[in-house]
Amino acid sequence: PVDDAIVYSELSHGDTAGIFQLESSGLTDLVMRLKPNVFADLVALVALFRPGPLGSGMVDDFINRKHGKTPIRYELKELEPILKDTYGVIVYQAQVMQIANRLAGFSLGEADILRRAMGKKKAEEMAKQKERFVAGCVANRISKAKAEKLFDLIAKFAEYGFNKSHSAAYALVAYQTAYLKFHYPNE
């Protein structure tokens, strides 16, 4: 089961030796700071341990929100179902796509084009995408000012966004190796 309290407790205390993806000193430190207690935290942890998120302050924001040191805020109430598992922080590429789809009326194909444009930071393409995003939000009764602010927010995080399915697969193997280590140490 992915809700084993022993696994999360031992990981949170830094017992990460021999655990897939988690045994480096940097990841051990991050695990101890985050103190994961649900599987979604492990998925996010794997996605966040990259130079961009670490250098941007995004990881600290995630950890502080998880532990209640910083309030979880959503620019719009419509963002809560998309960002709830990540404490209001955009971590995954899929979240960028969901925001564009649900708030700006993008098809999923259009949302993927937006995600790629944000990752590549092409100014001309970004200007087109912003215009389309803002117009879509306005059509969905979101003010132009809020739509522009939201676009800028997702553009900031999109360059660090990670593929959630990759992170989830790595987190599952990490969890499984931790489970085996803590429940079957001799084996």
Side-chain angles (χ1 to χ4, degrees):
V2 294
D3 62 353
D4 186 83
I6 293 169
V7 169
Y8 294 110
S9 175
E10 293 297 322
L11 290 176
S12 294
H13 287 99
D15 191 355
T16 61
I19 306 298
F20 176 74
Q21 287 289 306
L22 304 183
E23 65 182 336
S24 74
S25 61
L27 260 161
T28 298
D29 176 61
L30 183 55
V31 170
M32 290 171 56
R33 289 176 48 220
L34 179 63
K35 299 195 181 315
N37 61 344
V38 293
F39 184 70
D41 288 347
L42 287 179
V43 176
L45 185 126
V46 171
L48 290 168
F49 192 73
R50 296 177 299 114
L54 289 168
S56 71
M58 183 176 162
V59 174
D60 292 329
D61 193 28
F62 185 92
I63 291 169
N64 288 334
R65 288 177 181 208
K66 175 182 173 47
H67 295 299
K69 295 176 182 174
T70 302
I72 298 170
R73 290 176 283 110
Y74 304 98
E75 292 296 322
L76 299 164
K77 67 181 179 358
E78 295 89 348
L79 293 174
E80 186 172 355
I82 299 168
L83 302 178
K84 186 173 184 145
D85 284 348
T86 54
Y87 310 104
V89 176
I90 301 169
V91 175
Y92 307 113
Q93 294 171 352
Q95 290 172 313
V96 170
M97 294 172 62
Q98 288 175 312
I99 292 167
N101 174 253
R102 293 183 189 168
L103 278 67
F106 280 46
S107 71
L108 291 178
E110 292 168 328
D112 190 46
I113 291 168
L114 170 68
R115 176 199 57 81
R116 280 185 287 178
M118 288 180 163
K120 293 180 182 176
K121 293 185 179 180
K122 293 183 177 177
E124 188 177 313
E125 182 63 26
M126 287 291 286
K128 286 184 208 171
Q129 292 294 332
K130 184 172 186 174
E131 185 177 311
R132 163 78 173 87
F133 182 89
V134 171
C137 285
V138 169
N140 284 324
R141 298 189 189 106
I142 296 169
S143 75
K144 183 177 179 180
K146 282 189 178 184
E148 289 174 343
K149 184 176 180 181
L150 180 58
F151 185 88
D152 293 340
L153 178 71
I154 64 173
K156 173 186 166 193
F157 285 104
E159 67 181 281
Y160 303 129
F162 196 71
N163 186 315
K164 186 176 182 180
S165 63
H166 292 174
S167 190
Y170 279 21
L172 182 59
V173 176
Y175 181 86
Q176 290 169 333
T177 56
Y179 186 91
L180 292 171
K181 175 182 177 173
F182 301 132
H183 288 281
Y184 301 96
N186 293 336
E187 291 82 352

